[in-house]
PDB file of all heavy atoms in Angstrom:
ATOM      1  N   TYR K 238      -0.782  11.676 -20.906  1.00  0.00           N
ATOM      2  CA  TYR K 238      -0.469  10.397 -20.280  1.00  0.00           C
ATOM      3  C   TYR K 238       0.603   9.641 -21.063  1.00  0.00           C
ATOM      4  O   TYR K 238       1.379   8.873 -20.487  1.00  0.00           O
ATOM      5  CB  TYR K 238      -1.725   9.535 -20.166  1.00  0.00           C
ATOM      6  CG  TYR K 238      -2.648   9.951 -19.050  1.00  0.00           C
ATOM      7  CD1 TYR K 238      -3.872  10.549 -19.321  1.00  0.00           C
ATOM      8  CD2 TYR K 238      -2.295   9.763 -17.723  1.00  0.00           C
ATOM      9  CE1 TYR K 238      -4.720  10.941 -18.297  1.00  0.00           C
ATOM     10  CE2 TYR K 238      -3.126  10.147 -16.691  1.00  0.00           C
ATOM     11  CZ  TYR K 238      -4.342  10.739 -16.982  1.00  0.00           C
ATOM     12  OH  TYR K 238      -5.167  11.132 -15.969  1.00  0.00           O
ATOM     13  N   ARG K 239       0.657   9.859 -22.357  1.00  0.00           N
ATOM     14  CA  ARG K 239       1.666   9.161 -23.150  1.00  0.00           C
ATOM     15  C   ARG K 239       3.059   9.740 -22.934  1.00  0.00           C
ATOM     16  O   ARG K 239       4.045   9.173 -23.416  1.00  0.00           O
ATOM     17  CB  ARG K 239       1.268   9.199 -24.632  1.00  0.00           C
ATOM     18  CG  ARG K 239       0.039   8.347 -24.922  1.00  0.00           C
ATOM     19  CD  ARG K 239      -0.121   8.075 -26.415  1.00  0.00           C
ATOM     20  NE  ARG K 239      -0.508   9.250 -27.163  1.00  0.00           N
ATOM     21  CZ  ARG K 239      -1.766   9.660 -27.316  1.00  0.00           C
ATOM     22  NH1 ARG K 239      -2.752   8.975 -26.749  1.00  0.00           N
ATOM     23  NH2 ARG K 239      -2.035  10.735 -28.017  1.00  0.00           N
ATOM     24  N   ARG K 240       3.170  10.843 -22.195  1.00  0.00           N
ATOM     25  CA  ARG K 240       4.482  11.352 -21.807  1.00  0.00           C
ATOM     26  C   ARG K 240       5.004  10.657 -20.562  1.00  0.00           C
ATOM     27  O   ARG K 240       6.171  10.813 -20.200  1.00  0.00           O
ATOM     28  CB  ARG K 240       4.419  12.870 -21.564  1.00  0.00           C
ATOM     29  CG  ARG K 240       4.009  13.692 -22.779  1.00  0.00           C
ATOM     30  CD  ARG K 240       4.782  13.319 -24.039  1.00  0.00           C
ATOM     31  NE  ARG K 240       6.198  13.481 -23.875  1.00  0.00           N
ATOM     32  CZ  ARG K 240       6.893  14.529 -24.304  1.00  0.00           C
ATOM     33  NH1 ARG K 240       6.274  15.500 -24.948  1.00  0.00           N
ATOM     34  NH2 ARG K 240       8.196  14.604 -24.125  1.00  0.00           N
ATOM     35  N   GLU K 241       4.148   9.890 -19.885  1.00  0.00           N
ATOM     36  CA  GLU K 241       4.573   9.125 -18.717  1.00  0.00           C
ATOM     37  C   GLU K 241       5.124   7.772 -19.165  1.00  0.00           C
ATOM     38  O   GLU K 241       4.788   7.275 -20.245  1.00  0.00           O
ATOM     39  CB  GLU K 241       3.392   8.919 -17.759  1.00  0.00           C
ATOM     40  CG  GLU K 241       2.875  10.202 -17.149  1.00  0.00           C
ATOM     41  CD  GLU K 241       1.801   9.968 -16.096  1.00  0.00           C
ATOM     42  OE1 GLU K 241       0.706   9.500 -16.463  1.00  0.00           O
ATOM     43  OE2 GLU K 241       2.061  10.239 -14.915  1.00  0.00           O
ATOM     44  N   PRO K 242       5.975   7.139 -18.349  1.00  0.00           N
ATOM     45  CA  PRO K 242       6.552   5.839 -18.736  1.00  0.00           C
ATOM     46  C   PRO K 242       5.480   4.756 -18.841  1.00  0.00           C
ATOM     47  O   PRO K 242       4.741   4.515 -17.880  1.00  0.00           O
ATOM     48  CB  PRO K 242       7.551   5.546 -17.616  1.00  0.00           C
ATOM     49  CG  PRO K 242       7.081   6.367 -16.456  1.00  0.00           C
ATOM     50  CD  PRO K 242       6.467   7.600 -17.043  1.00  0.00           C
ATOM     51  N   ALA K 243       5.401   4.108 -19.998  1.00  0.00           N
ATOM     52  CA  ALA K 243       4.398   3.058 -20.214  1.00  0.00           C
ATOM     53  C   ALA K 243       4.550   1.930 -19.204  1.00  0.00           C
ATOM     54  O   ALA K 243       3.562   1.289 -18.822  1.00  0.00           O
ATOM     55  CB  ALA K 243       4.501   2.522 -21.640  1.00  0.00           C
ATOM     56  N   LEU K 244       5.789   1.695 -18.743  1.00  0.00           N
ATOM     57  CA  LEU K 244       6.042   0.638 -17.766  1.00  0.00           C
ATOM     58  C   LEU K 244       5.257   0.871 -16.478  1.00  0.00           C
ATOM     59  O   LEU K 244       4.906  -0.085 -15.779  1.00  0.00           O
ATOM     60  CB  LEU K 244       7.539   0.561 -17.463  1.00  0.00           C
ATOM     61  CG  LEU K 244       8.033  -0.578 -16.562  1.00  0.00           C
ATOM     62  CD1 LEU K 244       7.767  -1.937 -17.218  1.00  0.00           C
ATOM     63  CD2 LEU K 244       9.523  -0.420 -16.267  1.00  0.00           C
ATOM     64  N   GLY K 245       4.960   2.105 -16.165  1.00  0.00           N
ATOM     65  CA  GLY K 245       4.220   2.421 -14.954  1.00  0.00           C
ATOM     66  C   GLY K 245       2.714   2.420 -15.134  1.00  0.00           C
ATOM     67  O   GLY K 245       1.977   2.616 -14.161  1.00  0.00           O
ATOM     68  N   LEU K 246       2.255   2.223 -16.372  1.00  0.00           N
ATOM     69  CA  LEU K 246       0.828   2.279 -16.665  1.00  0.00           C
ATOM     70  C   LEU K 246       0.261   0.943 -17.133  1.00  0.00           C
ATOM     71  O   LEU K 246      -0.722   0.443 -16.595  1.00  0.00           O
ATOM     72  CB  LEU K 246       0.554   3.343 -17.735  1.00  0.00           C
ATOM     73  CG  LEU K 246       0.840   4.803 -17.367  1.00  0.00           C
ATOM     74  CD1 LEU K 246       0.793   5.686 -18.619  1.00  0.00           C
ATOM     75  CD2 LEU K 246      -0.177   5.293 -16.345  1.00  0.00           C
ATOM     76  N   ALA K 247       0.874   0.368 -18.174  1.00  0.00           N
ATOM     77  CA  ALA K 247       0.298  -0.788 -18.855  1.00  0.00           C
ATOM     78  C   ALA K 247       0.431  -2.065 -18.036  1.00  0.00           C
ATOM     79  O   ALA K 247       1.478  -2.332 -17.441  1.00  0.00           O
ATOM     80  CB  ALA K 247       0.972  -0.975 -20.211  1.00  0.00           C
ATOM     81  N   SER K 248      -0.650  -2.855 -18.028  1.00  0.00           N
ATOM     82  CA  SER K 248      -0.617  -4.120 -17.292  1.00  0.00           C
ATOM     83  C   SER K 248      -1.502  -5.170 -17.957  1.00  0.00           C
ATOM     84  O   SER K 248      -2.370  -5.778 -17.332  1.00  0.00           O
ATOM     85  CB  SER K 248      -1.061  -3.901 -15.842  1.00  0.00           C
ATOM     86  OG  SER K 248      -0.731  -5.035 -15.048  1.00  0.00           O
ATOM     87  N   GLY K 249      -1.287  -5.363 -19.256  1.00  0.00           N
ATOM     88  CA  GLY K 249      -1.978  -6.440 -19.968  1.00  0.00           C
ATOM     89  C   GLY K 249      -3.346  -6.060 -20.485  1.00  0.00           C
ATOM     90  O   GLY K 249      -3.816  -4.930 -20.313  1.00  0.00           O
ATOM     91  N   PRO K 250      -4.006  -7.018 -21.130  1.00  0.00           N
ATOM     92  CA  PRO K 250      -5.300  -6.747 -21.782  1.00  0.00           C
ATOM     93  C   PRO K 250      -6.372  -6.192 -20.850  1.00  0.00           C
ATOM     94  O   PRO K 250      -7.154  -5.327 -21.241  1.00  0.00           O
ATOM     95  CB  PRO K 250      -5.706  -8.123 -22.327  1.00  0.00           C
ATOM     96  CG  PRO K 250      -4.422  -8.876 -22.476  1.00  0.00           C
ATOM     97  CD  PRO K 250      -3.548  -8.399 -21.359  1.00  0.00           C
ATOM     98  N   ASP K 251      -6.419  -6.702 -19.600  1.00  0.00           N
ATOM     99  CA  ASP K 251      -7.458  -6.235 -18.669  1.00  0.00           C
ATOM    100  C   ASP K 251      -6.902  -5.369 -17.544  1.00  0.00           C
ATOM    101  O   ASP K 251      -7.627  -5.005 -16.615  1.00  0.00           O
ATOM    102  CB  ASP K 251      -8.233  -7.413 -18.079  1.00  0.00           C
ATOM    103  CG  ASP K 251      -7.360  -8.361 -17.248  1.00  0.00           C
ATOM    104  OD1 ASP K 251      -6.139  -8.117 -17.141  1.00  0.00           O
ATOM    105  OD2 ASP K 251      -7.899  -9.347 -16.721  1.00  0.00           O
ATOM    106  N   GLY K 252      -5.614  -5.021 -17.620  1.00  0.00           N
ATOM    107  CA  GLY K 252      -5.012  -4.145 -16.617  1.00  0.00           C
ATOM    108  C   GLY K 252      -4.624  -4.830 -15.318  1.00  0.00           C
ATOM    109  O   GLY K 252      -4.243  -4.165 -14.354  1.00  0.00           O
ATOM    110  N   LEU K 253      -4.686  -6.150 -15.287  1.00  0.00           N
ATOM    111  CA  LEU K 253      -4.529  -6.861 -14.010  1.00  0.00           C
ATOM    112  C   LEU K 253      -3.312  -7.783 -13.942  1.00  0.00           C
ATOM    113  O   LEU K 253      -3.169  -8.532 -12.975  1.00  0.00           O
ATOM    114  CB  LEU K 253      -5.791  -7.682 -13.723  1.00  0.00           C
ATOM    115  CG  LEU K 253      -7.088  -6.891 -13.590  1.00  0.00           C
ATOM    116  CD1 LEU K 253      -8.266  -7.843 -13.381  1.00  0.00           C
ATOM    117  CD2 LEU K 253      -7.006  -5.887 -12.442  1.00  0.00           C
ATOM    118  N   ASP K 254      -2.425  -7.727 -14.926  1.00  0.00           N
ATOM    119  CA  ASP K 254      -1.279  -8.645 -14.913  1.00  0.00           C
ATOM    120  C   ASP K 254      -0.487  -8.550 -13.614  1.00  0.00           C
ATOM    121  O   ASP K 254      -0.159  -9.570 -12.993  1.00  0.00           O
ATOM    122  CB  ASP K 254      -0.356  -8.356 -16.098  1.00  0.00           C
ATOM    123  CG  ASP K 254      -0.900  -8.906 -17.411  1.00  0.00           C
ATOM    124  OD1 ASP K 254      -2.035  -9.431 -17.410  1.00  0.00           O
ATOM    125  OD2 ASP K 254      -0.194  -8.791 -18.440  1.00  0.00           O
ATOM    126  N   ILE K 255      -0.136  -7.346 -13.184  1.00  0.00           N
ATOM    127  CA  ILE K 255       0.661  -7.176 -11.972  1.00  0.00           C
ATOM    128  C   ILE K 255      -0.182  -7.433 -10.730  1.00  0.00           C
ATOM    129  O   ILE K 255       0.286  -8.048  -9.755  1.00  0.00           O
ATOM    130  CB  ILE K 255       1.285  -5.767 -11.911  1.00  0.00           C
ATOM    131  CG1 ILE K 255       2.130  -5.489 -13.153  1.00  0.00           C
ATOM    132  CG2 ILE K 255       2.131  -5.613 -10.643  1.00  0.00           C
ATOM    133  CD1 ILE K 255       3.275  -6.469 -13.350  1.00  0.00           C
ATOM    134  N   THR K 256      -1.425  -7.003 -10.742  1.00  0.00           N
ATOM    135  CA  THR K 256      -2.290  -7.186  -9.566  1.00  0.00           C
ATOM    136  C   THR K 256      -2.499  -8.659  -9.268  1.00  0.00           C
ATOM    137  O   THR K 256      -2.529  -9.065  -8.094  1.00  0.00           O
ATOM    138  CB  THR K 256      -3.639  -6.482  -9.786  1.00  0.00           C
ATOM    139  OG1 THR K 256      -3.403  -5.085 -10.029  1.00  0.00           O
ATOM    140  CG2 THR K 256      -4.535  -6.630  -8.568  1.00  0.00           C
ATOM    141  N   ARG K 257      -2.650  -9.482 -10.294  1.00  0.00           N
ATOM    142  CA  ARG K 257      -2.792 -10.931 -10.074  1.00  0.00           C
ATOM    143  C   ARG K 257      -1.572 -11.487  -9.342  1.00  0.00           C
ATOM    144  O   ARG K 257      -1.694 -12.308  -8.427  1.00  0.00           O
ATOM    145  CB  ARG K 257      -2.978 -11.653 -11.411  1.00  0.00           C
ATOM    146  CG  ARG K 257      -4.365 -11.505 -12.023  1.00  0.00           C
ATOM    147  CD  ARG K 257      -4.501 -12.409 -13.252  1.00  0.00           C
ATOM    148  NE  ARG K 257      -5.855 -12.382 -13.774  1.00  0.00           N
ATOM    149  CZ  ARG K 257      -6.298 -11.522 -14.684  1.00  0.00           C
ATOM    150  NH1 ARG K 257      -5.462 -10.594 -15.173  1.00  0.00           N
ATOM    151  NH2 ARG K 257      -7.546 -11.565 -15.104  1.00  0.00           N
ATOM    152  N   ARG K 258      -0.388 -11.049  -9.741  1.00  0.00           N
ATOM    153  CA  ARG K 258       0.836 -11.521  -9.077  1.00  0.00           C
ATOM    154  C   ARG K 258       0.868 -11.077  -7.622  1.00  0.00           C
ATOM    155  O   ARG K 258       1.249 -11.841  -6.737  1.00  0.00           O
ATOM    156  CB  ARG K 258       2.059 -11.005  -9.823  1.00  0.00           C
ATOM    157  CG  ARG K 258       2.247 -11.597 -11.208  1.00  0.00           C
ATOM    158  CD  ARG K 258       3.517 -11.091 -11.855  1.00  0.00           C
ATOM    159  NE  ARG K 258       4.700 -11.408 -11.065  1.00  0.00           N
ATOM    160  CZ  ARG K 258       5.908 -10.935 -11.319  1.00  0.00           C
ATOM    161  NH1 ARG K 258       6.084 -10.089 -12.331  1.00  0.00           N
ATOM    162  NH2 ARG K 258       6.933 -11.273 -10.562  1.00  0.00           N
ATOM    163  N   ILE K 259       0.459  -9.836  -7.378  1.00  0.00           N
ATOM    164  CA  ILE K 259       0.444  -9.332  -6.005  1.00  0.00           C
ATOM    165  C   ILE K 259      -0.500 -10.167  -5.145  1.00  0.00           C
ATOM    166  O   ILE K 259      -0.159 -10.571  -4.021  1.00  0.00           O
ATOM    167  CB  ILE K 259       0.038  -7.845  -5.986  1.00  0.00           C
ATOM    168  CG1 ILE K 259       1.129  -6.997  -6.655  1.00  0.00           C
ATOM    169  CG2 ILE K 259      -0.208  -7.366  -4.551  1.00  0.00           C
ATOM    170  CD1 ILE K 259       0.737  -5.542  -6.872  1.00  0.00           C
ATOM    171  N   LEU K 260      -1.690 -10.450  -5.658  1.00  0.00           N
ATOM    172  CA  LEU K 260      -2.669 -11.223  -4.894  1.00  0.00           C
ATOM    173  C   LEU K 260      -2.177 -12.646  -4.618  1.00  0.00           C
ATOM    174  O   LEU K 260      -2.431 -13.201  -3.542  1.00  0.00           O
ATOM    175  CB  LEU K 260      -4.004 -11.259  -5.646  1.00  0.00           C
ATOM    176  CG  LEU K 260      -4.770  -9.932  -5.677  1.00  0.00           C
ATOM    177  CD1 LEU K 260      -5.929 -10.012  -6.664  1.00  0.00           C
ATOM    178  CD2 LEU K 260      -5.277  -9.558  -4.286  1.00  0.00           C
ATOM    179  N   ARG K 261      -1.475 -13.238  -5.572  1.00  0.00           N
ATOM    180  CA  ARG K 261      -0.969 -14.610  -5.379  1.00  0.00           C
ATOM    181  C   ARG K 261       0.147 -14.664  -4.335  1.00  0.00           C
ATOM    182  O   ARG K 261       0.255 -15.637  -3.593  1.00  0.00           O
ATOM    183  CB  ARG K 261      -0.435 -15.165  -6.711  1.00  0.00           C
ATOM    184  CG  ARG K 261      -1.482 -15.624  -7.690  1.00  0.00           C
ATOM    185  CD  ARG K 261      -0.868 -16.516  -8.765  1.00  0.00           C
ATOM    186  NE  ARG K 261       0.217 -15.870  -9.490  1.00  0.00           N
ATOM    187  CZ  ARG K 261       0.053 -15.174 -10.621  1.00  0.00           C
ATOM    188  NH1 ARG K 261      -1.159 -15.024 -11.127  1.00  0.00           N
ATOM    189  NH2 ARG K 261       1.091 -14.628 -11.230  1.00  0.00           N
ATOM    190  N   GLU K 262       0.970 -13.627  -4.282  1.00  0.00           N
ATOM    191  CA  GLU K 262       2.217 -13.721  -3.525  1.00  0.00           C
ATOM    192  C   GLU K 262       2.260 -12.908  -2.239  1.00  0.00           C
ATOM    193  O   GLU K 262       3.106 -13.148  -1.372  1.00  0.00           O
ATOM    194  CB  GLU K 262       3.375 -13.291  -4.432  1.00  0.00           C
ATOM    195  CG  GLU K 262       3.506 -14.127  -5.701  1.00  0.00           C
ATOM    196  CD  GLU K 262       4.533 -13.556  -6.679  1.00  0.00           C
ATOM    197  OE1 GLU K 262       5.427 -12.798  -6.220  1.00  0.00           O
ATOM    198  OE2 GLU K 262       4.429 -13.834  -7.885  1.00  0.00           O
ATOM    199  N   ALA K 263       1.383 -11.929  -2.075  1.00  0.00           N
ATOM    200  CA  ALA K 263       1.515 -10.968  -0.979  1.00  0.00           C
ATOM    201  C   ALA K 263       1.484 -11.607   0.398  1.00  0.00           C
ATOM    202  O   ALA K 263       2.202 -11.170   1.316  1.00  0.00           O
ATOM    203  CB  ALA K 263       0.423  -9.902  -1.081  1.00  0.00           C
ATOM    204  N   ALA K 264       0.664 -12.653   0.587  1.00  0.00           N
ATOM    205  CA  ALA K 264       0.533 -13.262   1.917  1.00  0.00           C
ATOM    206  C   ALA K 264       1.875 -13.751   2.445  1.00  0.00           C
ATOM    207  O   ALA K 264       2.125 -13.721   3.659  1.00  0.00           O
ATOM    208  CB  ALA K 264      -0.468 -14.419   1.867  1.00  0.00           C
TER     209      ALA K 264
END
Side-chain angles (χ1 to χ4, degrees):
Y238 283 109
R239 291 196 289 275
R240 299 312 301 261
E241 295 186 293
L244 186 63
L246 295 168
S248 194
D251 62 359
L253 299 177
D254 283 5
I255 304 301
T256 302
R257 284 187 174 89
R258 292 183 59 189
I259 293 171
L260 289 169
R261 283 197 303 268
E262 301 172 23

